């Protein structure tokens, strides 16, 4: 079905192209009229042959969109448990936007004075931005080009060369790089044996930095949920420590904003950063950076300089944002997904329940272990299969790839090919039937290779 569906959709795009070529006259020449009719017939024929089998095709499959660019059917053919892809799957509304708003600066059709992205009313960017700030319970917010761009903007505005900023030993690399890019220095708060970053360790590290450099760190930036274990870190306690020392606190919500409720005031964050393509059902590159009244003029301050030759000024453009940030289809798609995102965060408890259900089933396979904290508080989990599936891999002719092959045959994807000692998976967005199927599939594979299952 998906191959034929794509085929029909591409015919329609080619028809659209004829329309574009003949603007403003309409399709009036014979050649284009003929091509239009040919394409229309092909579309109808293709659609008539549609079968409801997901991967079934009519025999004359298309594989490529154009030279070497394959069509992507991962989400239509597979149950995808890729750790980073679950929360960024698009809504149908967002996918429709991508078709309609794909042209470069499409969002600028109705950009008038004061010429800034977040003031655009059509499509409703302005309304979206103000709802976003309410959604996060923060005072001000901007759409940015991914969470990493949010970190970069804050680092840019707050840090000077050789300033120290604290992250954790489990922080995402982009947080470290954003600090390094400013010529500042990142130091790590150790997560310790249980892989949880605590307020106590944060205070200790602040004291250490103070002793060593004679100055306090200029920023503390902590991932609420880390990318490796999917563990929850004590952002509430850490934010309190930061307040006691009067150090700005950045809450990294790449794995939270858009899938679970996030309340900036309750957390006590000076900055909230989220990722559109990780957790807000949005295309890349999208993200959010929210802040408070105390810091909005620092990070979102407007341009002050003017040209020495021309006297030019750039109105209310924001230097750290480089003026307008995310334009065109990615932004409008993010807006289109937002109503769903706002609702879905309310289902977080059920998502965590499903995550725990899967893990409890997974642990019935003898030798399976979980490296993440238990019970799970998130849908991203790291499992250790060195005493179970890796035992099989040792003797299998495909080595570690056997697990990938077996899952692939059951239409499950998202595991790193070759990984059999351990891997990360994300159950976010799977329904109960899919969760049970996932658990049954691992059990099947285990039994097939003679592992004991409780
Ligand atoms: C994915 C991830 C990021 C980076 O997000 P982008 O939106 O791709 O920049 C940052 N931090 C954590 C914890 C992540 O998991």
């Amino acid at each position: 079905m998906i191959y034929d569906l794509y085929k029909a959709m591409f015919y329609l795009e080619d028809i659209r192209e004829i329309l574009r070529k003949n603007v403003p006259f309409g399709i009036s020449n014979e050649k284009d009229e003929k091509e239009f009719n040919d394409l229309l017939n092909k579309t109808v024929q293709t659609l008539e042959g549609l079968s409801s089998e997901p991967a079934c095709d009519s025999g004359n499959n298309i594989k490529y969109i154009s030279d070497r660019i394959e069509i992507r059917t991962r989400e239509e053919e597979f149950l995808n448990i890729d750790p980073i892809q679950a929360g960024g799957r698009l809504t149908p509304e967002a996918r429709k936007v991508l078709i309609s708003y794909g042209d470069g600066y499409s969002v600028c059709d109705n950009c008038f004075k004061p010429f800034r992205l977040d003031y655009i009313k059509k499509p409703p960017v302005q309304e979206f931005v103000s709802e976003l700030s309410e959604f996060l319970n923060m005072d001000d917010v901007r759409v940015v080009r991914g969470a990493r761009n949010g970190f970069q903007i804050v680092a840019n505005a707050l840090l000077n060369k050789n300033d120290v900023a604290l992250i954790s030993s489990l922080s995402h690399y982009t947080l470290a790089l954003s600090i390094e890019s400013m010529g500042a220095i990142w130091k790590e708060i150790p997560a310790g044996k249980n892989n949880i970053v605590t307020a106590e360790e944060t205070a200790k590290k602040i004291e250490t930095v103070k002793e060593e450099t004679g100055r306090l760190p200029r920023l503390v930036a902590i991932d609420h949920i880390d990318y490796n274990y999917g563990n929850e870190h004590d952002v509430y306690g850490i934010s309190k420590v930061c307040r006691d020392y009067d150090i700005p606190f950045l809450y990294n919500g790449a794995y939270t904003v858009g899938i679970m409720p996030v309340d900036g005031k309750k957390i006590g964050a000076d900055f909230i950063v989220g990722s559109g393509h990780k957790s807000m059902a949005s295309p890349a590159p999208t993200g959010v950076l929210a802040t408070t009244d105390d810091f909005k003029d620092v990070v979102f301050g407007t341009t002050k300089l003017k040209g020495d030759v021309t006297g030019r000024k750039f109105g209310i453009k924001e230097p750290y944002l480089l003026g307008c940030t995310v334009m065109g289809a990615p932004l409008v798609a993010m807006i289109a997904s937002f109503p769903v995102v706002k609702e879905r965060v309310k289902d977080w408890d059920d998502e965590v329940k499903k995550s725990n259900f899967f893990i409890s089933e997974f642990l019935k396979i003898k030798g399976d272990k979980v490296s993440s904290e238990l019970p799970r508080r998130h849908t991203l989990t790291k499992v250790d299969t060195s005493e179970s599936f890796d035992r099989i891999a040792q003797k299998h002719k495909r080595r570690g790839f056997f697990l990938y092959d077996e899952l692939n045959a059951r239409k499950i994807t998202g595991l790193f090919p070759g990984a059999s000692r351990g891997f990360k998976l994300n159950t976010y967005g799977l329904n109960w039937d899919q969760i049970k199927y996932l658990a049954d599939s691992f059990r099947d594979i285990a039994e097939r290779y003679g592992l004991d299952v409780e």
Side-chain angles (χ1 to χ4, degrees):
M1 153 119 114
I2 183 58
Y3 294 98
D4 286 335
L5 204 55
Y6 268 130
K7 202 175 194 175
M9 286 160 79
F10 295 166
Y11 285 140
L12 293 175
E13 277 301 324
D14 291 337
I15 291 177
R16 187 178 174 199
E17 186 59 21
I18 299 178
L19 210 62
R20 287 180 165 217
K21 266 190 344 206
N22 285 282
V23 99
F25 316 111
I27 305 170
S28 50
N29 71 73
E30 241 174 67
K31 187 175 158 283
D32 283 347
E33 219 165 287
K34 185 178 173 310
E35 200 181 337
F36 173 89
N37 285 321
D38 281 355
L39 286 165
L40 195 60
N41 285 336
K42 284 183 186 168
T43 312
V44 172
Q45 273 169 22
T46 307
L47 291 175
E48 277 172 347
L50 270 196
S51 124
S52 59
E53 281 287 301
C56 173
D57 67 82
S58 54
N60 43 359
N61 233 341
I62 48 159
K63 193 151 193 265
Y64 295 93
I65 297 168
S66 70
D67 185 32
R68 281 169 296 155
I69 303 177
E70 276 187 57
I71 55 170
R72 184 171 182 268
T73 59
R74 181 180 264 232
E75 302 294 348
E76 288 78 13
E77 288 196 68
F78 294 92
L79 209 156
N80 184 7
I81 54 170
D82 188 298
I84 64 174
Q85 291 183 334
R89 272 191 287 259
L90 298 186
T91 59
E93 294 76 20
R95 293 200 298 276
K96 289 171 196 171
V97 163
L98 292 189
I99 300 172
S100 181
Y101 277 84
D103 293 310
Y105 284 111
S106 60
V107 81
C108 310
D109 293 346
N110 294 291
C111 178
F112 310 114
K113 264 191 161 173
F115 302 119
R116 216 172 72 187
L117 185 69
D118 53 319
Y119 282 75
I120 292 173
K121 289 199 170 68
K122 222 173 100 173
V125 184
Q126 188 174 44
E127 195 185 324
F128 169 63
V129 170
S130 92
E131 279 183 29
L132 201 51
S133 144
E134 219 173 287
F135 176 66
L136 297 169
N137 197 12
M138 293 292 276
D139 301 323
D140 209 359
V141 67
R142 297 287 181 276
V143 173
V144 294
R145 310 149 182 103
R148 64 197 71 199
N149 182 223
F151 308 149
Q152 194 180 35
I153 289 165
V154 174
N156 213 329
L158 258 60
L159 304 179
N160 292 310
K161 208 167 162 38
N162 295 326
D163 280 348
V164 172
L166 295 187
I167 61 176
S168 89
S169 59
L170 290 172
S171 281
H172 197 258
Y173 78 95
T174 54
L175 202 41
L177 296 189
S178 66
I179 295 161
E180 189 172 345
S181 76
M182 286 309 302
I185 297 156
W186 49 272
K187 289 183 180 286
E188 298 170 311
I189 302 161
K193 256 204 337 278
N194 59 358
N195 295 317
I196 307 279
V197 185
T198 62
E200 198 188 345
E201 285 298 326
T202 303
K204 255 204 243 166
K205 190 75 184 198
I206 292 172
E207 286 297 333
T208 309
V209 169
K210 195 173 146 195
E211 266 166 43
E212 287 174 3
T213 68
R215 289 192 310 158
L216 290 172
R218 291 294 293 263
L219 176 71
V220 172
I222 298 296
D223 322 42
H224 187 186
I225 303 293
D226 71 84
Y227 75 98
N228 194 39
Y229 297 103
N231 285 355
E232 181 173 17
H233 305 284
D234 182 16
V235 287
Y236 295 89
I238 292 168
S239 128
K240 191 170 173 306
V241 169
C242 290
R243 219 167 322 134
D244 291 346
Y245 280 96
D246 205 19
I247 301 170
F249 173 58
L250 182 152
Y251 166 100
N252 178 7
Y255 264 118
T256 60
V257 172
I259 59 174
M260 62 187 260
V262 171
D263 182 331
K265 291 280 153 68
K266 200 164 129 197
I267 296 160
D270 297 298
F271 306 99
I272 297 247
V273 172
S275 171
H277 47 267
K278 177 84 66 43
S279 298
M280 299 176 77
S282 302
T286 50
V288 298
L289 166 62
T291 189
T292 60
D293 284 333
D294 285 347
F295 283 96
K296 70 179 184 203
D297 293 334
V298 179
V299 284
F300 304 146
T302 53
T303 169
K304 305 272 182 313
L305 300 184
K306 64 177 182 186
D308 63 329
V309 174
T310 59
R312 293 190 302 160
K313 292 196 279 188
F314 300 115
I316 57 164
K317 293 281 204 281
E318 296 155 329
Y320 293 125
L321 275 64
L322 298 179
C324 300
T325 53
V326 181
M327 295 156 247
L331 173 64
V332 187
M334 190 183 197
I335 298 174
S337 279
F338 191 54
V340 172
V341 164
K342 268 197 300 192
E343 282 305 304
R344 77 182 191 179
V345 299
K346 297 175 189 163
D347 302 329
W348 180 243
D349 288 348
D350 198 40
E351 290 292 337
V352 173
K353 242 185 237 158
K354 285 183 280 184
S355 173
N356 276 303
F357 174 82
F358 169 74
I359 290 301
S360 69
E361 290 297 301
F362 185 79
L363 285 172
K364 289 179 182 168
I365 298 167
K366 196 157 173 265
D368 272 357
K369 286 182 295 225
V370 171
S371 310
S372 308
E373 65 179 334
L374 285 174
R376 301 297 307 122
R377 296 161 178 273
H378 200 272
T379 54
L380 167 70
T381 300
K382 185 173 190 170
V383 297
D384 176 348
T385 51
S386 56
E387 306 285 314
S388 53
F389 293 107
D390 193 53
R391 292 258 170 102
I392 297 159
Q394 305 282 338
K395 289 179 240 144
H396 200 285
K397 63 178 190 306
R398 288 276 291 155
R399 290 283 164 174
F401 287 92
F402 99 92
L403 185 59
Y404 180 84
D405 295 344
E406 290 286 354
L407 289 168
N408 202 59
R410 289 166 178 79
K411 293 289 170 196
I412 295 166
T413 196
L415 241 65
F416 199 73
S420 59
R421 293 178 57 78
F423 49 87
K424 297 192 278 185
L425 64 101
N426 196 339
T427 57
Y428 185 75
L430 304 190
N431 63 38
W432 277 105
D433 286 342
Q434 292 167 328
I435 287 280
K436 284 174 191 156
Y437 174 76
L438 184 66
D440 289 347
S441 298
F442 275 103
R443 168 191 285 260
D444 263 9
I445 298 167
E447 282 173 346
R448 176 159 187 211
Y449 289 93
L451 294 175
D452 287 339
V453 182
E454 213 179 278

